[in-house]
Amino acid sequence: MKKSTDELMKILRSKDSVDDYFQENDSEIFFGSLTELIQFFISNKRLEKKDVVRDSGLSRTYAYEIISGKTNKNISRDKVIMLCFGLHLTVDEAQQMLKKSGYAPLYARDTRDSILIFSLENSISVVNTNIKLAEYNLTPLE
């Protein structure tokens, strides 16, 4: 995935047919489930699941349930974001994960989301992100 969401939006708006858009940008669009998207990122970034679990800050069991698609629970927005940290996603990739999960994307005008965006963009860990959130009296990722 090399094009930003903004680039894709411009291309989509310029097309006469959504089919043409899909055909020309098939490598940029993910049609699968959340589990398939997670597996795609793990494979594409050549990550080890154990490292994703560790870096996410999620409990080991719950993280593996999410990654394998075995959880029936509604995964909270914060848990999806924590998984984004574990997957070492870019902000655009994290936005894709949030949307695939049915959540609003990170919003730069929101103080908490701004910290999360900055942390993802600069590869800051979940622990250090939570420290920064606490400095602003904001709810940590949990």
Side-chain angles (χ1 to χ4, degrees):
M1 295 184 205
K2 295 181 176 27
K3 297 176 185 172
S4 72
T5 302
D6 288 340
E7 288 175 276
L8 289 173
M9 283 297 293
K10 288 177 187 173
I11 294 168
L12 178 57
R13 287 183 176 130
S14 73
K15 295 296 173 194
D16 293 327
S17 161
V18 73
D19 297 325
D20 292 342
Y21 169 73
F22 288 151
Q23 195 169 31
E24 291 175 23
N25 298 284
D26 65 336
S27 65
E28 300 289 331
I29 300 166
F30 192 82
F31 294 97
S33 67
L34 177 61
T35 301
E36 290 169 326
L37 184 59
I38 292 166
Q39 295 302 323
F40 169 80
F41 285 131
I42 289 171
S43 173
N44 194 44
K45 293 175 177 282
R46 296 184 175 116
L47 300 171
E48 295 287 331
K49 289 180 185 177
K50 66 179 176 58
D51 297 330
V52 172
V53 170
R54 180 196 63 226
D55 294 347
S56 73
L58 294 165
S59 78
R60 183 179 180 273
T61 303
Y62 189 58
Y64 277 111
E65 286 178 0
I66 295 170
I67 290 169
S68 67
K70 291 182 181 175
T71 183
N72 293 332
K73 300 175 187 176
N74 199 13
I75 305 164
S76 72
R77 184 175 188 259
D78 273 6
K79 301 283 190 230
V80 172
I81 293 168
M82 291 172 75
L83 191 55
C84 291
F85 278 90
L87 291 165
H88 302 276
L89 300 185
T90 66
V91 173
D92 283 344
E93 291 167 339
Q95 302 291 45
Q96 187 178 12
M97 281 273 292
L98 286 165
K99 289 175 189 173
K100 183 57 80 175
S101 303
Y103 291 110
L106 295 167
Y107 185 55
R109 291 186 187 269
D110 178 85
T111 308
R112 185 172 187 265
D113 281 2
S114 294
I115 292 169
L116 298 174
I117 291 168
F118 183 86
S119 294
L120 284 167
E121 193 69 32
N122 292 283
S123 302
I124 297 171
S125 71
V126 171
V127 171
N128 288 330
T129 299
N130 280 340
I131 290 169
K132 183 56 73 176
L133 288 168
E135 289 175 14
Y136 284 88
N137 294 316
L138 298 168
T139 307
L141 289 168
E142 49 188 19

